[in-house]
């Protein structure tokens, strides 16, 4: 995007990393700049999550997820009080009287689009095309109606922080009576929701928005695959549904274009799916295509989260999802690697890197996946904070989590704040809720990080189980990382990584960090990103380690 109106995602790489910075937005130039933070609050979780001692049962793959969850102190059962509270809730709302301020939207055409295996439906959408734009409805499960602050369900949800998805096991934040039942926006049944109506013009600019307690009745539960088949005219369905999906896709194109122009970094990396048999053994690893229907839901949820955050910007105590700019050292290392592969991050006169132009330059190239993965690794992790510094990766000045209260406690807190200040028009957040947000945001960031580590650990164990019967098999792969200890290779098409210890790479092994290459007997032998043929040498299922040989 070369026009002067575009707001590019840039980071200044000339300042000392010892200065604390935050992302600010110059209203005159519409560009993000980095300034010294006035607060000494930490926005990057420095506390590392140590890898626990996990004793995997080699002969019982169905226990993998449970053993790893326990090792990371992820609760796998609900206490008696939680279950009693959950069972005391109604199992349907068809005859439930509505509060005076809850609007009835059951005649509005709404749909959910989720994965084929999903059981907890947080979000539904509705779309209306206007003469000069669109009216978007984002309808989110009203969990806060059923879960009071300080209740057993609330305390347990805060303790868990989020639902944890470990391939064949889900450890939900709430018991199934809520997560799959009364809170889930299931097809054809009345459900309480928090609705955000957002009117945008044909360029994606928000004209107005409103927030409501509502009751909806989802008309259709769609999978991403089926919804995509309707868009692609592979499947036929009702005219209203085809129209809704077509208009939602139009909105997605508008919002995505605007987001990228405003500086969002769009990582188009596909996800690796693992298929298990009935005993928990992996049958297949494959790269799942990211469909346009995934992007539809993603863009509409981003829009809703952003709009909520904007409305709360003057409310003290609200929780934001923040993402700081990259560290200078990590960015310098990435830039050297990119340069060695024949690419470079373009700098302007102010010493800022333009990520989006770089990503456009590598699209479709052989090094695209490698460089995108390395760029992602160079970024800081997004965290929760009550001090807003913006979201660097998304290019948003204000961003929060609102759209998944069934599976994220931060969203539940935001729902309570929205009800208080945006619907009830309270001037400030209740002191109890404000203290709860203040005491929770750091812990929620750590729990989020812990869940991600547990998920990666399960994937490593399943990968080891997959490869243990393939000893001696040969594959082609890409060198994905290097160190003085050896090189890591990722198998093409499977995205399974294995390690080759330095002494098996060759004699007189020397690793050069700056060049990201390995010399064997004083001759450059391997570089990061090289395609190599490997053999599966050994596998340790207990720790998820796979060793290759060249």
């Amino acid at each position: 995007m070369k026009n002067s109106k575009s707001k590019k995602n840039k980071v200044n790489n000339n300042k000392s990393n010892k200065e604390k910075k935050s992302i600010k937005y110059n209203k005159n130039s519409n560009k993000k700049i980095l300034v010294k933070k006035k607060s000494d609050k930490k926005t990057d979780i420095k506390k590392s999550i140590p890898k626990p001692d996990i004793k995997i049962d080699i002969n019982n793959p169905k226990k993998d997820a449970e053993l790893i969850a326990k090792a990371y102190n992820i609760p796998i059962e609900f206490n008696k009080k939680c279950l009693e509270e959950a069972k005391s809730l109604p199992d349907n709302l068809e005859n439930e009287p509505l509060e005076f301020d809850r609007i009835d939207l059951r005649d509005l055409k709404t749909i959910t689009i989720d994965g084929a295996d999903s059981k907890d439906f947080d979000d539904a959408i509705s779309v209306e095309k206007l003469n000069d734009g669109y009216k978007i409805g984002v309808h989110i499960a009203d969990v806060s109606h059923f879960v009071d602050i300080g209740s057993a369900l609330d305390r347990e949800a805060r303790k868990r922080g989020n639902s944890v998805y470990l391939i064949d096991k889900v450890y939900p934040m709430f018991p199934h009576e809520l997560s799959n039942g009364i809170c889930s926006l299931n097809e054809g049944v009345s459900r309480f929701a928090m609705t955000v109506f957002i009117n945008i013009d044909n360029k994606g600019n928000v004209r107005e928005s409103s927030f409501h307690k509502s009751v909806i009745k989802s008309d259709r539960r769609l999978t991403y695959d089926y919804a995509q088949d309707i868009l692609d005219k592979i499947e036929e369905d009702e005219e209203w549904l085809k129209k809704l999906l077509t208009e939602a896709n139009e909105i997605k194109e508008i919002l995505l274009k605007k987001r990228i122009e405003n500086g969002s970094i769009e990582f188009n990396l596909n996800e690796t799916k693992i298929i298990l048999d009935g005993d928990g053994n992996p049958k297949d690893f494959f790269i799942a295509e990211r469909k346009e229907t995934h992007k539809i839901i993603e863009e509409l949820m981003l829009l809703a989260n952003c709009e909520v955050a904007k409305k709360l910007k003057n409310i003290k105590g609200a929780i934001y999802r923040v993402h700081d700019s990259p560290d200078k050292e990590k960015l310098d290392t990435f830039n050297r690697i990119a340069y060695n592969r024949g690419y470079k991050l373009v700098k302007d006169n102010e010493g800022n890197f333009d990520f989006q132009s770089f990503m456009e330059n590598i699209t479709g190239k052989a090094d695209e996946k490698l460089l995108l993965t390395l760029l992602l690794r160079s970024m800081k992790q997004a965290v929760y904070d009550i001090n807003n510094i913006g979201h660097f990766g998304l290019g948003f000045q204000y961003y929060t989590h609102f759209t998944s209260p069934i599976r994220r406690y931060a969203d539940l807190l935001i729902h309570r704040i929205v009800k208080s200040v945006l619907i009830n028009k309270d001037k400030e957040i209740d002191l109890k809720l404000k203290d709860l947000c203040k005491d929770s945001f750091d812990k929620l960031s750590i729990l989020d990080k812990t869940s991600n580590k547990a998920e990666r650990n399960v994937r490593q164990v399943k990968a080891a189980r997959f490869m243990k019967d393939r000893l001696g098999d040969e594959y082609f792969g890409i060198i994905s990382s290097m160190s003085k200890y050896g090189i890591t290779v990722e198998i093409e098409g499977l995205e399974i990584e294995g390690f080759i210890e330095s002494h098996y790479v060759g004699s007189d092994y020397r690793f050069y960090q700056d060049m990201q290459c390995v010399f064997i007997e004083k001759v450059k032998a391997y570089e990061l990103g090289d395609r190599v043929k490997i053999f599966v040498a050994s596998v340790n299922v207990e720790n998820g380690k796979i060793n290759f040989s060249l």
Side-chain angles (χ1 to χ4, degrees):
M1 305 301 174
K2 301 295 182 186
N3 63 71
S4 59
K5 293 183 180 179
S6 69
K7 184 169 54 174
K8 302 199 174 184
N9 200 335
K10 299 180 178 179
V11 57
N12 189 299
N13 198 32
N14 294 329
K15 296 182 180 181
S16 167
N17 68 312
K18 293 181 181 178
E19 294 178 346
K20 295 194 177 189
K21 310 178 186 77
S22 69
I23 307 161
K24 298 295 181 184
Y25 294 75
N26 186 320
K27 293 181 180 178
N28 297 321
S29 67
N30 280 334
K31 287 186 178 181
K32 280 188 275 188
I33 60 176
L34 295 179
V35 298
K36 291 183 182 179
K37 291 175 66 177
K38 294 180 181 179
S39 168
D40 61 355
K41 283 290 299 177
K42 293 182 179 179
T43 58
D44 188 32
I45 296 297
K46 301 295 183 184
K47 190 181 293 184
S48 62
I49 310 296
K51 187 173 180 178
D53 181 25
I54 304 171
K55 293 180 171 55
I56 293 296
D57 184 347
I58 298 176
N59 299 315
N60 191 353
K62 286 185 74 70
K63 297 280 286 184
D64 290 346
E66 180 182 334
L67 292 172
I68 289 171
K70 286 180 177 178
Y72 280 97
N73 294 316
I74 294 169
I76 63 173
E77 302 287 348
F78 288 96
N79 61 53
K80 182 179 178 181
K81 185 64 176 173
C82 270
L83 295 175
E84 287 175 353
E85 286 188 2
K87 287 186 169 102
S88 71
L89 297 173
D91 56 9
N92 74 79
L93 300 172
E94 301 307 322
N95 299 313
E96 190 79 9
L98 303 183
E99 309 105 303
F100 75 95
D101 57 348
R102 188 176 295 275
I103 60 175
D104 193 334
L105 300 177
R106 282 176 282 197
D107 291 332
L108 179 68
K109 291 293 185 184
T110 58
I111 63 170
T112 63
I113 310 178
D114 289 273
D117 298 327
S118 297
K119 301 264 191 318
D120 51 347
F121 306 121
D122 284 286
D123 55 271
I125 61 169
S126 60
V127 172
E128 179 185 352
K129 192 166 188 174
L130 309 174
N131 291 332
D132 53 355
Y134 300 85
K135 180 179 181 180
I136 302 162
V138 177
H139 314 274
I140 308 299
D142 187 2
V143 179
S144 63
H145 178 83
F146 301 99
V147 180
D148 294 330
I149 292 179
S151 65
L153 286 168
D154 183 62
R155 293 195 305 272
E156 183 66 17
R158 181 171 179 259
K159 174 185 172 184
R160 293 173 180 239
N162 46 260
S163 297
V164 183
Y165 301 85
L166 302 180
I167 305 181
D168 59 337
K169 292 285 186 181
V170 178
Y171 297 105
M173 192 172 74
F174 290 111
H176 288 177
E177 287 85 354
L178 282 85
S179 61
N180 296 7
I182 197 63
C183 291
S184 183
L185 305 182
N186 300 329
E187 179 183 318
V189 294
S190 297
R191 289 291 184 261
F192 288 165
M194 293 282 284
T195 291
V196 186
F197 283 122
I198 305 172
N199 282 23
I200 63 169
D201 63 21
N202 288 319
K203 293 184 177 179
N205 299 306
V206 176
R207 286 177 167 164
E208 61 179 353
S209 62
S210 59
F211 299 81
H212 311 271
K213 293 191 293 186
S214 66
V215 59
I216 70 166
K217 184 177 286 189
S218 173
D219 292 273
R220 293 291 294 274
R221 179 273 198 260
L222 303 179
T223 65
Y224 291 113
D225 289 343
Y226 184 74
Q228 188 65 52
D229 285 345
I230 294 175
L231 280 177
D232 294 338
K233 297 182 170 51
I234 296 172
E235 292 282 355
E236 274 295 321
D237 212 300
E238 298 175 83
E239 286 301 319
W240 72 264
L241 180 58
K242 293 192 290 184
K243 182 173 182 290
L244 190 156
L245 287 172
T246 299
E247 292 173 357
N249 195 50
E250 293 170 1
I251 294 169
K252 177 263 295 178
E253 293 293 331
I254 292 169
L255 293 176
L256 180 59
K257 182 176 182 291
K258 178 180 173 61
R259 184 162 62 83
I260 290 175
E261 288 178 348
N262 285 350
S264 182
I265 303 175
E266 183 70 359
F267 289 97
N268 287 310
L269 291 169
N270 292 319
E271 183 184 358
T272 302
K273 293 288 187 182
I274 304 174
I275 304 299
L276 305 178
D277 65 18
D279 295 323
N281 286 303
K283 294 194 301 182
D284 194 16
F285 281 64
F286 67 95
I287 299 173
E289 178 190 4
R290 187 165 174 252
K291 298 180 181 294
E292 297 306 305
T293 46
H294 287 96
K295 297 178 186 178
I296 287 173
I297 297 302
E298 180 179 275
E299 291 303 322
L300 295 186
M301 297 307 114
L302 288 174
L303 177 67
N305 286 334
C306 192
E307 192 61 20
V308 169
K310 286 180 189 175
K311 295 293 185 181
L312 297 179
K313 66 182 181 181
N314 295 321
I315 305 299
K316 291 183 178 180
I319 289 181
Y320 298 91
R321 185 68 170 176
V322 300
H323 184 222
D324 210 345
S325 53
D327 286 322
K328 177 182 182 299
E329 288 82 0
K330 288 186 178 180
L331 208 53
D332 283 345
T333 299
F334 171 77
N335 203 19
R336 285 195 299 271
I337 295 170
Y339 185 80
N340 290 340
R341 306 299 299 176
Y343 306 94
K344 65 183 289 188
L345 281 167
V346 179
K347 271 187 179 182
D348 63 15
N349 294 330
E350 299 174 351
N352 295 312
F353 285 135
D354 183 353
F355 292 102
Q356 195 55 45
S357 294
F358 173 82
M359 294 171 77
E360 290 171 3
N361 290 337
I362 65 172
T363 299
K365 305 290 177 58
D367 290 318
E368 180 182 11
K369 182 180 181 298
L370 172 70
L371 292 175
L372 285 180
T373 302
L374 294 176
L375 180 57
L376 186 60
R377 289 175 186 170
S378 74
M379 298 285 172
K380 291 183 179 178
Q381 289 186 318
V383 297
Y384 296 107
D385 207 319
I386 55 175
N387 297 301
N388 179 50
I389 63 163
H391 197 293
F392 182 83
L394 292 174
F396 291 153
Q397 188 174 4
Y398 301 99
Y399 189 67
T400 191
H401 275 168
F402 168 80
T403 54
S404 297
I406 291 177
R407 59 186 180 89
R408 290 190 306 231
Y409 189 73
D411 301 53
L412 178 57
L413 291 174
I414 289 296
H415 273 230
R416 290 164 173 163
I417 294 172
V418 166
K419 279 185 178 179
S420 172
V421 300
L422 299 184
I423 295 177
N424 297 339
K425 304 301 181 184
D426 296 336
K427 291 184 179 180
E428 59 182 8
I429 303 172
D430 175 77
L431 184 59
K432 181 193 289 188
L433 179 54
K434 187 183 290 187
D435 286 343
L436 185 58
C437 292
K438 183 179 179 181
D439 294 339
S440 297
F441 73 88
D442 193 46
K443 180 183 178 183
L444 293 177
S445 297
I446 294 171
L447 290 170
D448 178 44
K449 189 174 181 180
T450 301
S451 299
N452 291 333
K453 282 186 172 289
E455 181 181 346
R456 285 196 296 271
N457 207 313
V458 172
R459 296 177 75 86
Q460 288 170 352
V461 169
K462 295 301 185 186
R465 288 191 183 279
F466 186 74
M467 300 305 291
K468 73 179 176 64
D469 297 325
R470 292 164 173 79
L471 295 177
D473 287 3
E474 65 178 56
Y475 297 90
F476 282 96
I478 301 296
I479 297 177
S480 56
S481 66
M482 310 178 111
S483 73
K484 64 182 180 180
Y485 302 107
I487 63 177
T488 301
V489 177
E490 182 183 279
I491 297 175
E492 291 178 341
L494 296 178
E495 295 196 355
I496 292 175
E497 287 188 329
F499 188 65
I500 307 172
E501 293 181 19
S502 59
H503 54 275
Y504 290 122
V505 177
S507 59
D508 194 26
Y509 175 102
R510 293 181 183 273
F511 167 67
Y512 293 89
Q513 174 75 30
D514 287 352
M515 295 187 292
Q516 283 291 299
C517 67
V518 167
F519 278 64
I520 302 296
E521 296 181 350
K522 299 183 180 180
V523 177
K524 186 162 74 171
Y526 301 103
E527 285 185 305
L528 188 69
D530 280 354
R531 187 171 187 260
V532 295
K533 183 164 73 172
I534 59 91
F535 298 87
V536 183
S538 65
V539 173
N540 186 328
V541 172
E542 290 179 292
N543 60 21
K545 298 295 184 185
I546 302 169
N547 290 314
F548 296 152
S549 62
L550 293 166

